[in-house]
Amino acid sequence: MDKIVALCKRRGFIYPGSEIYGGLSGTWDYGPLGAELKRNIKNQWWQDVVQLREDVIGIDSAVMMNPKVWEASGHLEAFVDPLVECKVCHERFRADNLDQIKEHDKSHKGQATWTDPQKFNLLVKAYLGVLEEKQSQIFLRGEITQGVHVNFKNVLDSTRIKLPFGIAQIGKAFRNEITPGNFTFRSREFEQMEIQYFIKPEEKVGEKWFEYWKSFWMDWYTGLGISKENLRFKNHEEKAHYAREAVDIEYQAPWGWSEFMGIHHRGDWDLSRHEEFSGQNMKFKDLEGAEYLPWDIESSAGVDRSLLFFLSDAYKQEDNRIYLRLHPKLAPIKAAVFPLLANKPELVKTARKIYLDLKSCLMVAWDDRGNIGGRYASQDEIGTPFCITVDFKSLEDEAVTVRDRNTTKQDRIKISGLKEYLNGKIY
Ligand code: ATP
C-alpha cells in the first residue's frame, strides 16, 4: 500500500486534502489522473446500469436534505459507532477497532485507560441561514440512498416505469468517521454509486433479485479486471437497522479483507418510514389496481474504495518493470503518442497530427522527452494500455508502432486504421 500511496502522489492520482495547510483528516483530492480514473469508473457504472438497461433510470438528488429525512430513515437514532476515549491523552477511537486500541495502548507503555463505549452519531452537521441566531441545523447526507426514497413518488409520476425497476444515483456522502484511515478507504467525504431496485413485496421475488444483484456485481468487478481470488462475499453478522438481509463484497486489501460494496435487502423500511413521517402516500399501483409498498434490493458501492481496489489489484511489479494493469476502459490515458526523436521536425509533425486526431475521441498523452524506454516506463506506471511511436519508417509506410502495455509486444498499424484499432481494443 505504501508503494501505491507514493505512486498516487507522485503521478497525480490522489493527494492529501488541503495539504499545504497540514491536511484535513479523512479528506483526499484527486489529481489529473485520479480524476480521470474516477470519472471512468463512474461512467462505466452508469453506462452498464442505466444506459444499457431498460429497467433502471438515474437521478441526481441534493446533498442537503430536510432534517426530517434522517429522523424517518432512522439515521438520527441508529447511525452510530461505539466510541471510546483514552483518559490519558483524550484521543478517540472506535471501540471495535481493537488493533488501533492495542497500538495506542503500547504508545502509553500499557498505561492507557479508557472511557466506557458511547454511541457516536456519524452524521455531519451543517448550518443553513443568513442570520446566525436563526440558522437551522441540517445534516450532510450520510448515504445517498435517501435521495432516491424521497423522490420515489416523483419518479413514478414523471416516468412510465413499472416494477421491477431501479433508481440509480452517484454522489457524495459524508460521515464523521471516528478514525479515518487506510488511505482513502475510510474517509469523511466520499462518493457512492447505488441502485435501489424496487420489486414486488414477496419472499421469493426478494430472494431472486438479491441473488441476481450479488452475481451481477461480482461479474462487473471481475469483468473490469479485479482477480476473482481477491474478491469474496461476506454475510453480515450484524445487520444495519434497515436491512432484512445483507451481504458485502470484500476485496483482499493489503491490510486484510475489506468491504467496498454491499447488497442489502431493505424491504419496505424506507418507503414505509417516509410514508409515516411525511404523511404522503408512497404506494405503487400495479396494472391490476393493487396498491403496495415495494421492497428495495439495494446495491451500494463506494467509488473511492472501488478506485483504490482497482488500483491495488492492477499494480504489478514484474521483470524490473512496474505497471498498472488497469482495464483499458478504466485507464486514465488510453494511448500515448511519441515521435521517435524530438529533434526531427518531420517525425514531430506526423506524430502531432496523430495525437491531435486521437485526442478528439480518446484521452491521449504526448511525450517527446528522453528515450523510448523511459517513455514506456512512465506510461506503464500510470496504466496507459497503448504507446504509439512514429519512426522514420512511418514517413514511408504511413504506419506506426503500437506497443501493448501488458505484453510489451509491438504491432505495426496503418495510421488510417489507428482509431478503429484502438477503439476495438479498448471498448
Ligand atoms: P464500513 O462498515 O466500512 O463503515 P458501511 O457498511 O457502513 O462501511 P455502507 O453504509 O454499506 O458502508 O456504505 C456503502 C458503501 O459506501 C461501502 O461499501 C463503502 O464502499 C462506501 N463507504 C462507506 N463508508 C465509507 C467511508 N467512510 N469512506 C469511503 N467509503 C465509504
Side-chain angles (χ1 to χ4, degrees), residues 79 81 94 122 142-143 175 177 184-192 194 236 242 248-249 259-262 264 298 300-306:
F79 198 46
D81 275 341
R94 259 175 83 148
L122 302 183
E143 59 172 28
R175 294 185 187 178
E177 294 283 358
T184 58
F185 178 79
R186 190 171 300 286
S187 308
R188 289 182 167 139
E189 172 177 341
F190 55 94
E191 248 178 308
Q192 294 182 310
E194 291 192 348
H236 277 217
Y242 51 75
D248 290 337
I249 304 186
E259 167 194 340
F260 65 91
M261 89 163 286
H264 309 127
E298 169 185 63
S300 174
V303 178
D304 312 77
R305 287 188 189 178
S306 297

Side-chain angles (χ1 to χ4, degrees), residues 181-213:
N182 285 329
F183 198 23
T184 58
F185 178 79
R186 190 171 300 286
S187 308
R188 289 182 167 139
E189 172 177 341
F190 55 94
E191 248 178 308
Q192 294 182 310
M193 356 187 228
E194 291 192 348
I195 304 178
Q196 309 303 321
Y197 198 78
F198 296 99
I199 56 167
K200 239 181 163 170
E202 288 171 11
E203 291 298 338
K204 280 236 146 47
V205 181
E207 274 165 37
K208 179 183 113 183
W209 285 108
F210 192 73
E211 289 308 315
Y212 170 87
W213 286 112

Side-chain angles (χ1 to χ4, degrees), residues 192-251:
Q192 294 182 310
M193 356 187 228
E194 291 192 348
I195 304 178
Q196 309 303 321
Y197 198 78
F198 296 99
I199 56 167
K200 239 181 163 170
E202 288 171 11
E203 291 298 338
K204 280 236 146 47
V205 181
E207 274 165 37
K208 179 183 113 183
W209 285 108
F210 192 73
E211 289 308 315
Y212 170 87
W213 286 112
K214 273 172 68 179
S215 50
F216 181 93
W217 291 116
M218 196 51 112
D219 291 348
W220 195 77
Y221 281 96
T222 52
L224 286 171
I226 298 201
S227 341
K228 220 178 168 80
E229 63 270 21
N230 285 335
L231 294 174
R232 73 172 188 194
F233 289 116
K234 177 84 192 301
N235 286 318
H236 277 217
E237 279 144 28
E238 262 181 62
K239 288 184 208 121
H241 59 277
Y242 51 75
R244 292 164 69 103
E245 224 180 309
V247 70
D248 290 337
I249 304 186
E250 293 189 334
Y251 177 75

Side-chain angles (χ1 to χ4, degrees), residues 11-34:
R11 296 303 306 269
F13 280 92
I14 302 172
Y15 314 123
S18 325
E19 195 183 13
I20 60 166
Y21 291 104
L24 178 69
S25 174
T27 66
W28 299 91
D29 295 335
Y30 287 82
L33 295 177

Side-chain angles (χ1 to χ4, degrees), residues 245-364:
E245 224 180 309
V247 70
D248 290 337
I249 304 186
E250 293 189 334
Y251 177 75
Q252 191 164 25
W255 60 85
W257 288 98
S258 308
E259 167 194 340
F260 65 91
M261 89 163 286
I263 296 132
H264 309 127
H265 187 330
R266 295 177 81 110
D268 65 8
W269 163 266
D270 304 88
L271 291 180
S272 65
R273 293 278 291 191
H274 287 306
E275 190 168 78
E276 182 190 336
F277 280 70
S278 71
Q280 307 278 324
N281 177 4
M282 290 286 180
K283 294 188 184 61
F284 172 80
K285 193 170 180 183
D286 71 17
L287 290 173
E288 287 80 47
E291 281 193 38
Y292 46 81
L293 290 174
W295 283 353
D296 171 24
I297 308 292
E298 169 185 63
S299 302
S300 174
V303 178
D304 312 77
R305 287 188 189 178
S306 297
L307 185 149
L308 181 59
F309 296 152
F310 276 124
L311 266 183
S312 169
D313 213 66
Y315 188 91
K316 307 283 172 213
Q317 202 163 2
E318 281 167 15
D319 307 326
N320 294 328
R321 186 166 88 93
I322 290 172
Y323 69 108
L324 289 183
R325 204 185 168 97
L326 284 171
H327 192 290
K329 284 181 178 170
L330 301 186
I333 307 289
K334 309 298 183 199
V337 182
F338 314 147
L340 182 65
L341 298 170
N343 57 2
K344 295 287 174 206
E346 62 280 28
L347 295 186
V348 173
K349 194 172 159 212
T350 309
R352 281 303 288 179
K353 199 159 167 273
I354 295 172
Y355 166 71
L356 292 173
D357 187 36
L358 290 178
K359 211 167 161 50
S360 66
C361 58
L362 292 173
M363 278 304 290
V364 281

